[in-house]
């Protein structure tokens, strides 16, 4: 049988994957399922692109790094924009099927944690929630040992300009990033003398800011949908989510601004 649109894209499998649990079912549960599935597909795409970005940083390929970053940023904008769609669901409508979610929550999104780790978040907290999923946990642990996008970016800048000590370049990847004066100096130098690297620095800031923007939009959506109720995943809900705001994954790219 020749390849068709449907067989290539596995449309039948894709469209069979939305199974509302509420009686009726409640009208908005379909939107709720689809939007989460779409997010998971975009997370997959982002991780795929970020791996490619790291390869291009390693080989010092500026045009392809720039193009890849632009794609990642465009996907992120789409992800932030999708929150508007979910905000068309009223609190009462969400309440009509919320109990069916039991203790499931976006908290448990393995790909979201993987994305955070790939970008640069390290440390044991990200792993705790996945203790019931050994395969997922092992995957996150492996990711933690690999250089992050931030590590690869710093190595890229250092290959162009130098000055970062080996202990920073070969740091223990499993530990959270420790802010480094040498890295800040490297960035000052890049901004002052390397226009190509400057463009990449600015797009990296867009990426860090974009993720923070998603978090902000998510917490506001949570507030308007469930107020100050706890989350299905067992956290304090919006109160917990507010503690995750304004956290930078690329800190020197922000602190360097005070130097100019
Ligand atoms: C009505 C819609 C939504 C509500 C009420 C909601 C609520 C929450 C709450 C309360 C938490 C905190 C953890 C918990 O106790 O459950 C959370 C975490 C999370 N949610 Fe949502 N959420 C919604 C939609 C989404 C969507 C569409 C996504 C996209 C994948 C998403 C992804 C996440 C992620 C990744 C976390 C973990 C954030 C972190 O720990 O930094 N949520 N959500």
């Amino acid at each position: 049988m020749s390849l068709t649109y449907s067989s290539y894209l596995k449309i039948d499998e894709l469209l069979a994957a939305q199974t509302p649990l509420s009686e009726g079912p409640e009208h908005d549960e379909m939107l709720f399922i689809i939007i989460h599935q779409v997010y998971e597909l975009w997370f997959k795409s982002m991780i795929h692109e970020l791996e490619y970005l790291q390869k291009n940083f390693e080989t010092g390929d500026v045009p392809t790094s720039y193009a890849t970053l632009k794609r990642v940023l465009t996907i992120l904008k789409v992800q932030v924009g999708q929150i508007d769609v979910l905000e068309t669901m009223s609190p009462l409508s969400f309440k009509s099927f919320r109990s069916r979610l039991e203790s499931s929550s976006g908290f448990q999104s393995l790909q979201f944690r993987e994305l955070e780790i790939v970008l640069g978040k390290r440390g044991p907290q990200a792993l705790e929630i996945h203790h019931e999923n050994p395969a997922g946990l092992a995957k996150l642990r492996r990711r933690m040992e690999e250089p992050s996008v931030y590590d690869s970016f710093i190595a890229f800048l250092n290959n162009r300009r130098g000055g970062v000590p080996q202990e920073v370049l070969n740091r223990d990847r499993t530990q959270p990033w420790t802010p480094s004066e040498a890295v800040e100096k490297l960035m000052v130098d890049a901004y002052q003398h390397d226009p190509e690297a400057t463009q990449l620095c600015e797009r990296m800031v867009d990426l860090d800011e974009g993720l923070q923007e998603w978090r902000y939009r998510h917490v506001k959506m949570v507030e308007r949908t469930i107020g100050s109720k706890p989350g299905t995943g067992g956290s304090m809900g919006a109160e917990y989510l507010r503690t995750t705001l304004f956290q930078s994954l690329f800190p020197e790219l922000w602190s360097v601004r005070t130097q100019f």
Side-chain angles (χ1 to χ4, degrees), residues 36 39 105-107 112-113 215 218 221-222 231 233-235 240:
H36 281 86
Y39 266 109
S105 160
F107 224 19
F112 182 77
R113 296 298 169 215
R215 287 187 189 280
H218 174 261
M221 175 186 64
V222 170
S235 81
Y240 155 71

Side-chain angles (χ1 to χ4, degrees), residues 32 35-36 39-40 43 83 86 89 94 98 103-109 112-113 116 121 214-215 218 221-222 225-226 229-238 240-241 244:
F32 186 80
I35 206 148
H36 281 86
Y39 266 109
E40 288 295 331
F43 290 153
I83 290 185
L86 205 49
M89 180 175 70
F94 183 49
R98 190 180 186 219
S103 61
S104 68
S105 160
F107 224 19
Q108 297 160 334
S109 167
F112 182 77
R113 296 298 169 215
E116 285 184 312
K121 189 163 180 173
W214 182 84
R215 287 187 189 280
H218 174 261
M221 175 186 64
V222 170
T225 313
I226 59 165
K229 282 190 224 164
T232 47
S235 81
M236 291 306 290
Y240 155 71
L241 291 167
T244 69

